[in-house]
């Protein structure tokens, strides 16, 4: 089974300088050495992407956007055609790094559309055209980086004192929403689903506890049992599709179904670089994204295990989407997608 890189745990790498290495370096100072030209390492968009991706608070799609901006800065191209071909190859390399990541693909596609769409470039000399591209690339990177804070501000009017919020899975933008509400001295409590099999809800509950937000962990099968105590549901999204529905962590669909049946609003917090040109008709239309499932006991080889990491929630089960483009109803998403990809 090939596991989706999008759902693998990221491991921090630390470089260690030993005392033996230092002593060897110091003793080598007195030894005359021959000077050789230092070879210039060719630019690698994947290496640049990994450098940005290792920053813990930076989204994968934003890391890709930063890496593509670096491609323009380091390019040795002498014509716009060469530069656009180079950008296209870099974008394709990033998208193939993990073909299951919807936000990565959408972020690369939106970068290409945003940065290269201007007829004025055809009438400028190449150097000024390249400078214009770099400016647009940096601007797009900054807009994407600040998206979470914009979304957090837009959502504050919907969180009221005394409310109970159910959250499914770990979303950095949802955490930003709740963090700002706590900083604004709003009084609320949060129910975190456990988020099996990787238990992302435990991570979110730990972060909320640090903010002194009252939090309760709810096992995934107890969502319906707990829903009558809930005032609203907040979820993130791996991708927002053309129908206005979302693709997100497995269990989002059933949570939204329960909330809808009990007249509880379901709010989605998602950055605009997650808007994807996809139109799934049902769960089987999604490209497979798999993750390992550990039941704690051996499973017979004849028993099939569902390892899908995400599901599709249709728009009729969602109330509002909080994005850096504004607060949207699901029906407006297709219009916004057209504007983004024009």
């Amino acid at each position: 089974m090939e596991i989706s890189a999008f759902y693998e745990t990221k491991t921090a790498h630390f470089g260690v300088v030993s005392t033996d290495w230092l002593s060897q370096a110091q003793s080598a100072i007195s030894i005359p050495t021959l000077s050789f030209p230092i070879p210039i390492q060719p630019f690698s968009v994947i290496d640049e992407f990994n450098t940005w991706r290792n920053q813990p608070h930076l989204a994968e799609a934003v890391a890709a956007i930063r890496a593509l901006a670096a491609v323009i800065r380091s390019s040795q191209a002498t014509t716009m055609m060469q530069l656009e071909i180079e950008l296209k190859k870099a974008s394709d390399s990033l998208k193939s790094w993990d073909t299951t990541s919807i936000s990565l693909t959408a972020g690369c596609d939106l970068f290409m559309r945003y940065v290269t769409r201007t007829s004025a470039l055809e009438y400028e000399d190449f150097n000024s055209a390249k400078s214009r591209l770099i400016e647009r690339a940096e601007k797009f990177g900054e807009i994407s980086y600040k998206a979470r804070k914009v979304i957090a501000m837009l959502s504050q009017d919907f969180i009221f004192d005394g409310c109970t919020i159910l959250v499914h899975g770990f979303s950095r933008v949802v955490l930003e929403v709740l963090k700002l509400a706590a900083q604004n001295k709003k009084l609320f409590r949060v129910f975190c689903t456990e988020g099996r099999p990787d238990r992302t809800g435990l991570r979110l509950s730990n972060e909320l506890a640090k903010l002194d937000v009252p939090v309760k962990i709810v096992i995934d099968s107890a969502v319906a049992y707990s829903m009558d105590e809930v005032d609203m549901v907040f979820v993130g999204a791996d991708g927002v599709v053309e129908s206005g529905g979302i693709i997100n962590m497995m269990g989002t669909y059933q949570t939204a179904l329960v909330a809808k049946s009990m007249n509880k609003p379901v709010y989605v917090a998602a950055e605009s670089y997650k808007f994807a040109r996809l139109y799934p008709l049902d769960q089987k239309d999604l490209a497979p994204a798999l993750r390992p499932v550990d039941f704690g006991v051996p499973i017979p080889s004849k028993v099939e295990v569902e390892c899908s990491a995400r599901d599709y929630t249709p728009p009729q089960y969602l109330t509002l989407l909080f994005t850096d483009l504004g607060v949207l109803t699901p029906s407006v998403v297709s219009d916004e997608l057209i504007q983004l990809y024009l």
Side-chain angles (χ1 to χ4, degrees):
M1 179 180 70
E2 184 179 351
I3 304 302
S4 167
F6 184 67
Y7 291 96
E8 286 183 342
T9 304
K10 297 177 183 177
T11 305
H13 299 278
F14 298 93
V16 179
V17 179
S18 67
T19 53
D20 290 341
W21 186 92
L22 284 174
S23 61
Q24 292 172 19
Q26 289 168 353
S27 63
I29 293 174
S30 58
I31 302 174
T33 57
L34 297 174
S35 60
F36 297 97
I38 300 173
I40 300 174
Q41 294 293 328
F43 177 83
S44 167
V45 69
I46 298 298
D47 290 344
E48 183 74 14
F49 168 66
N50 284 327
T51 299
W52 286 104
R53 193 171 63 92
N54 287 334
Q55 297 186 21
H57 298 296
L58 202 66
E60 196 174 71
V62 179
I65 289 165
R66 297 293 198 190
L68 288 172
V71 170
I72 302 175
R73 288 194 299 271
S74 63
S75 174
Q76 301 300 311
T78 56
T79 66
M80 280 302 301
M81 181 64 72
Q82 290 175 350
L83 182 54
E84 288 193 13
I85 291 173
E86 194 173 336
L87 264 179
K88 179 68 166 57
K89 287 181 179 178
S91 175
D92 290 343
S93 295
L94 288 171
K95 289 191 285 187
S96 64
W97 179 82
D98 182 7
T99 56
T100 67
S101 176
I102 296 170
S103 61
L104 180 61
T105 297
C108 289
D109 289 345
L110 284 169
F111 177 92
M112 295 295 292
R113 296 298 301 159
Y114 181 87
V115 171
T116 60
R117 63 173 183 186
T118 170
S119 58
L121 296 180
E122 299 174 9
Y123 306 102
E124 300 174 356
D125 64 274
F126 175 70
N127 288 332
S128 59
K130 183 177 178 180
S131 297
R132 176 74 66 85
L133 282 182
I134 292 173
E135 288 174 12
R136 293 176 71 86
E138 296 293 344
K139 182 180 179 182
F140 188 71
E142 283 303 309
I143 291 171
S144 302
Y145 179 71
K146 294 176 180 177
R148 281 186 211 147
K149 294 189 181 299
V150 174
I151 294 168
M153 287 188 290
L154 290 173
S155 63
Q156 293 308 298
D157 288 342
F158 293 82
I159 299 175
F160 53 89
D161 282 339
C163 71
T164 298
I165 304 170
L166 176 69
V167 179
H168 179 65
F170 182 89
S171 164
R172 282 175 288 198
V173 65
V174 171
L175 177 59
E176 192 71 29
V177 168
L178 300 176
K179 184 186 296 184
L180 184 59
Q183 291 170 351
N184 290 339
K185 308 298 182 184
K186 293 195 174 184
L187 303 176
F188 62 96
R189 63 174 178 162
V190 178
F191 287 1
C192 293
T193 59
E194 183 187 6
R196 288 274 294 162
D198 48 11
R199 297 181 176 175
T200 51
L202 300 182
R203 179 184 172 193
L204 181 63
S205 64
N206 290 340
E207 294 294 331
L208 292 174
K210 294 176 186 176
L211 300 171
D212 293 326
V213 174
V215 60
K216 178 181 181 180
I217 295 175
V218 176
I219 59 174
D220 295 338
S221 55
V223 167
Y225 174 83
S226 305
M227 191 61 74
D228 61 346
E229 299 181 58
V230 171
D231 294 294
M232 67 191 76
V233 175
F234 253 104
V235 295
D238 293 344
V240 180
V241 298
E242 293 182 59
S243 64
I246 62 169
I247 297 171
N248 195 40
M249 176 185 173
M250 182 64 73
T252 303
Y253 180 31
Q254 63 193 30
T255 301
L257 276 170
V258 173
K260 177 75 171 180
S261 69
M262 300 180 71
N263 296 316
K264 310 291 184 178
V266 179
Y267 299 134
V268 180
E271 303 91 333
S272 60
Y273 56 73
K274 293 180 178 178
F275 282 38
R277 289 183 293 181
L278 298 171
Y279 204 108
L281 298 176
D282 55 35
Q283 305 300 327
K284 305 308 177 186
D285 272 352
L286 304 181
L290 307 177
R291 61 183 174 187
V293 180
D294 181 12
F295 291 97
V297 294
I299 302 297
S301 58
K302 294 181 180 180
V303 175
E304 185 178 357
V305 177
E306 177 58 69
C307 296
S308 299
R310 61 195 182 196
D311 58 25
Y312 165 61
T313 304
Q316 62 265 33
Y317 301 107
L318 307 176
T319 308
L320 290 172
L321 291 92
F322 298 103
T323 77
D324 46 304
L325 302 175
V327 182
L328 310 177
T329 60
S331 60
V332 176
V333 169
S334 59
D335 295 335
E336 292 296 334
L337 267 164
I338 291 171
Q339 293 299 319
L340 283 172
Y341 283 99
L342 271 179

